[in-house]
Amino acid sequence: MIGIVTAALAMYAGQAQSLQARPDCSHDRAAMLAMDLDAFDQTYESGWRTLANIKGCEAAAADLIADWRARNAPDNPSLMRWHEGQLRAAAGDAEGAIQSMRLSAAEEEAAGDMADLAYKQATIAFLERDWDSLIQWRDRLAKTPRPEGFDEAADKFEAEYGWRPVWPSNLNVVDGLIACFDQPYAVAYTTECQPGSGPSVAEE
C-alpha cells in the first residue's frame, strides 16, 4: 500500500513539475495577424519574435508565421518561410524545417541570390545530417563574389549600427553548423559554435 501511495505521489509530482516547466506561449493572435510586414517580421520588439524569444515557444511562433503568411500573402515570402523553418528547426522539428527551408531556397535560386542560396542549402544539409553536402555548400558560399556596392553599404551600416558587415554573409553561421555538427540546430546556430563569431547580416 505504501508503495502504491509513493508511486502516486511521484506521478503527481512529475505532472506538477511538467506543468510548471511548460512555457506560456499565449499571445494575441488576432492582433499579430493584423500587423503589417514591418511590425510582424522586421521589428525585433514586436511580431513573432516576442513569442519566439520565449524558450519552448518556437513551434508556436513558427505556426504564427505560417498563419500570417497565409492570411497576408506577402509579395516575397522567402524570408518568412526561412524564419518559419529556423523556428521549426530550433523546436526540434527537422522535417518541418527542411520543408519550409527548401521552399525558401528555391525562391532564392529563382531570384539569382547565390550567397543566400548557398547559406540556406548548407543549413538544410546540416538538418539532413549530410556532412559532405554541408561542406560543399560552405565552400560555394565562401567563394561567392562580393556584390558591387557592398563596401559602400557596409560603411553606412557601420556608421549607423556600430559594427561592420562582412562578406560572405552568414559564413560564420555555417562554420558554426560545421563546428557543432553533432549538436541540435538550436545549439549549433548559436554564436558559441561560431569561430571568431560576430554579428551576421543575413536573415538570421
Side-chain angles (χ1 to χ4, degrees):
M1 180 67 177
I2 294 176
I4 295 175
V5 173
T6 302
L9 288 173
M11 180 184 71
Y12 288 130
Q15 290 175 344
Q17 185 176 11
S18 176
L19 288 172
Q20 289 174 356
R22 189 176 301 166
D24 180 8
C25 300
S26 59
H27 57 281
D28 189 337
R29 184 176 181 275
M32 291 276 200
L33 295 181
M35 288 181 175
D36 61 23
L37 177 62
D38 221 33
F40 183 76
D41 189 64
Q42 301 296 305
T43 304
Y44 285 93
E45 297 80 20
S46 68
W48 62 264
R49 297 174 197 275
T50 59
L51 186 58
N53 287 337
I54 303 171
K55 185 172 178 58
C57 294
E58 295 89 352
D63 290 341
L64 180 62
I65 291 175
D67 290 345
W68 188 96
R69 196 179 65 248
R71 171 173 172 168
N72 294 280
D75 293 335
N76 181 10
S78 175
L79 180 57
M80 298 193 71
R81 289 192 198 279
W82 185 252
H83 287 156
E84 178 188 341
Q86 286 183 302
L87 290 167
R88 297 201 187 284
D93 178 12
E95 184 177 346
I98 291 168
Q99 181 178 359
S100 185
M101 288 179 171
R102 279 179 176 164
L103 290 171
S104 181
E107 290 160 356
E108 295 297 351
E109 186 171 21
D113 192 333
M114 293 300 103
D116 273 351
L117 174 64
Y119 163 55
K120 292 179 178 182
Q121 292 287 12
T123 304
I124 292 169
F126 171 86
L127 293 172
E128 292 178 331
R129 317 312 298 148
D130 188 339
W131 174 263
D132 291 339
S133 182
L134 172 56
I135 297 301
Q136 290 169 7
W137 282 109
R138 190 269 179 202
D139 290 344
R140 288 185 63 173
L141 176 59
K143 295 173 182 175
T144 305
R146 185 189 303 262
E148 185 177 349
F150 178 84
D151 290 334
E152 292 79 0
D155 289 341
K156 293 179 181 178
F157 193 96
E158 185 176 21
E160 184 171 353
Y161 296 104
W163 59 269
R164 186 175 184 81
V166 297
W167 186 262
S169 303
N170 284 315
L171 184 62
N172 59 329
V173 177
V174 175
D175 283 341
L177 299 180
I178 292 171
C180 294
F181 185 72
D182 293 330
Q183 298 291 332
Y185 177 84
V187 174
Y189 181 74
T190 63
T191 56
E192 285 76 9
C193 286
Q194 299 169 17
S197 61
S200 174
V201 294
E203 291 112 338
E204 304 158 355

